[in-house]
Amino acid sequence: MTLRVDSDPGLTDRIEGVLLGAACGDALGVPYEFGSAPLAPDEPPRMIGGGLGPYAPGEWSDDTQMAVVVARVAADQGLRHVPALDAVVQGWVDWLGSGATDVGTQTRQVLGTVAGTGPSRLWWSSSAAAAGLHRRTGQTAGNGSLMRTAPVALAFLDDPATLTLAARWVSDATHRDPLAGDACVLWCHAIRLAVLDGVLPDLAGLVDVLPLARQGRWTSWIVDAERRTPSVFAPNGYVVSALQAAWSAIRHPVGDGSPLVTSLNAAVHAGDDTDTVAAIAGALLGAVHGASSIPEEWLALVHGWPGLRADDLRDLARRVVDRGVELAVHRAPDELVEVAEHLIARGLGEGYDFVVRGRLVPSGLSSEYIGLEQLDDGTYRVWYLGDWGTQRSLVETGDWAVARARFVEESVRLAQGRRPRWKIPDEPGGKRRWWHQR
Ligand SMILES: [Mg+2]
């Protein structure tokens, strides 16, 4: 599809609502984070500032600050290639060194390890550090990547296949637990659909974008959130609880006002990490109801690093979408996306990353490669490249389904015999590329 943004004012309103909704949720939750200020059960939250900062009234926190970094890169160069992901990590490192008002423990730990890394290896180093932390502790499913994921959805409004991949790449930069990536993928797809359709999507119906092995668990977590009220999901530093608290708040609004206002009210009343839960909920609520549903009083107050106000966020959101639409012509070949999704569905997309013609492609391989090549006459060749450079052809066929099946079968076989290792070909498009298209 080709998105026509200018000709649809409702669509523009919902695009602008995503970052604004998240920022307003953030600023509304800031005063009450971890019980910083008291909030009576029937009292509506207000943007009074304070919290852990302390923050000025209406000021947003790290959630929106980190999201702004992602959005600026997306508006500038998209999020389709490795240099863009490097730029996101660079932006966070710079933010940490200058503008960060507060930062999550895990995010600080991971970004702290990459400060001296060369600019072209930043995303790789950061996600490798996140993976190392995950292997050592087994506990890296914090809510710190979900809270900043909304701009990724805007960058791929008309490319849902790449959205599935990119949401996980941006999450992986600091949070390597598969559940953190899952939450970002799921929430981004919900935001994307909400922006396009203007209605709240059926979240449980979206789990098929996730690896098969975890779809059932996510369905039951979502159903649980729909049945119970948000405060059940506190503490919510765990990404699953944070998503449940946000979804429960959207489904169980409290107090007087519009759906966006009453749902954000419920999100803050969930307690614990109030700004993050409300920022997560706010992105989806803004996508459904649009910027026009946000109270004027909030729009006048909301602001934050790096010196932005409401109109700047509107402008930034539109620019992310415009750039995404423009770059969608560079979407990965359908066959490549299909194979990547197939591997993810088999649970092979995690813990490994490969660069294919400047794009990251998750796969299940290590230092050996299964390659898939389209020959000049249109036939496909599946080949194997061993550790010592030995290459042999496994199958040549004109039938895409046969080539794909053989490729996946060989990938599974290879992955099963390998322990996870971090290895990326040095030169994207170099000799050891995984996909080759002439
Ligand atoms: Mg925060």
Side-chain angles (χ1 to χ4, degrees):
M1 75 186 253
T2 302
L3 209 61
R4 299 291 304 275
V5 178
D6 291 346
S7 56
D8 185 343
L11 182 60
T12 303
D13 186 40
R14 294 192 297 278
I15 287 167
E16 292 178 354
V18 173
L19 299 186
L20 268 181
C24 286
D26 186 354
L28 201 62
V30 150
Y32 312 98
E33 189 175 16
F34 304 118
S36 300
L39 187 64
D42 56 354
E43 180 188 353
R46 290 176 301 128
M47 292 184 183
I48 54 175
L52 299 184
Y55 290 90
E59 186 177 3
W60 60 65
S61 71
D62 56 337
D63 311 54
T64 308
Q65 293 165 9
M66 292 190 85
V68 164
V69 170
V70 178
R72 285 178 142 187
V73 172
D76 183 36
Q77 52 178 304
L79 295 171
R80 295 181 168 272
H81 49 61
V82 184
L85 298 173
D86 289 335
V88 168
V89 176
Q90 181 69 61
W92 289 335
V93 169
D94 294 345
W95 160 77
L96 200 55
S98 58
T101 47
D102 66 309
V103 57
T105 316
Q106 190 178 324
T107 298
R108 181 189 292 282
Q109 236 174 318
V110 170
L111 293 179
T113 64
V114 301
T117 309
S120 67
R121 303 282 288 173
L122 271 171
W123 180 86
W124 185 88
S125 300
S126 183
S127 56
L133 188 67
H134 184 61
R135 276 197 298 273
R136 285 195 304 279
T137 66
Q139 293 183 331
T140 59
N143 60 23
S145 65
L146 178 59
M147 73 183 194
R148 60 172 198 230
T149 200
V152 186
L154 291 177
F156 297 97
L157 281 190
D158 64 351
D159 188 358
T162 310
L163 175 59
T164 302
L165 304 176
R168 194 174 295 275
W169 299 332
V170 175
S171 176
D172 280 353
T174 51
H175 289 63
R176 201 64 205 205
D177 190 304
L179 293 177
D182 288 354
C184 292
V185 172
L186 193 59
W187 209 247
C188 277
H189 276 278
I191 291 170
R192 173 182 174 270
L193 285 180
V195 167
L196 294 178
D197 303 338
V199 294
L200 191 65
D202 169 22
L203 194 61
L206 292 177
V207 296
D208 62 357
V209 296
L210 300 178
L212 200 56
R214 294 191 296 276
Q215 290 179 7
R217 268 194 284 166
W218 276 106
T219 303
S220 60
W221 285 329
I222 292 164
V223 169
D224 194 30
E226 289 167 0
R227 285 196 187 130
R228 304 202 282 166
T229 51
S231 60
V232 172
F233 305 102
N236 37 48
Y238 175 43
V239 69
V240 175
S241 307
L243 185 143
Q244 286 180 301
W247 186 240
S248 170
I250 291 170
R251 300 295 299 261
H252 300 92
V254 293
D256 301 322
S258 68
L260 178 135
V261 169
T262 51
S263 293
L264 285 182
N265 190 352
V268 176
H269 275 282
D272 198 49
D273 200 351
T274 46
D275 59 316
T276 291
V277 170
I280 294 164
L284 182 52
L285 288 162
V288 176
H289 304 291
S292 58
S293 71
I294 300 173
E296 284 297 331
E297 182 196 343
W298 291 1
L299 293 175
L301 269 179
V302 77
H303 72 282
W305 183 92
L308 305 186
R309 303 200 68 91
D311 281 348
D312 301 310
L313 291 188
R314 289 179 194 271
D315 178 58
L316 187 55
R318 286 197 309 270
R319 287 195 294 120
V320 172
V321 171
D322 289 346
R323 178 66 69 177
V325 170
E326 190 184 308
L327 294 174
V329 293
H330 300 300
R331 58 165 62 97
D334 289 347
E335 290 128 321
L336 177 60
V337 170
E338 192 184 346
V339 171
E341 287 183 336
H342 204 87
L343 288 170
I344 290 172
R346 298 288 296 267
L348 289 170
E350 290 147 6
Y352 315 83
D353 294 278
F354 285 77
V355 179
V356 180
R357 296 196 303 171
R359 295 190 190 93
L360 282 156
V361 177
S363 79
L365 314 183
S366 58
S367 61
E368 294 166 273
Y369 296 85
I370 303 296
L372 181 57
E373 185 177 16
Q374 190 172 28
L375 304 175
D376 288 340
D377 62 2
T379 60
Y380 300 96
R381 185 166 73 98
V382 179
W383 50 266
Y384 165 79
L385 180 68
D387 278 332
W388 307 102
T390 49
Q391 186 168 346
R392 63 193 162 88
S393 184
L394 299 170
V395 66
E396 273 188 41
T397 172
D399 186 337
W400 166 244
V402 172
R404 184 190 64 183
R406 186 63 194 268
F407 177 82
V408 171
E409 179 190 319
E410 291 296 331
S411 301
V412 171
R413 184 190 60 73
L414 187 57
Q416 281 169 342
R418 295 283 154 215
R419 290 171 55 200
R421 265 191 279 164
W422 289 89
K423 203 167 182 73
I424 296 182
D426 290 326
E427 287 297 319
K431 243 182 162 181
R432 297 195 294 178
R433 67 191 133 184
W434 177 62
W435 166 267
H436 177 77
Q437 193 181 48
R438 287 199 177 116

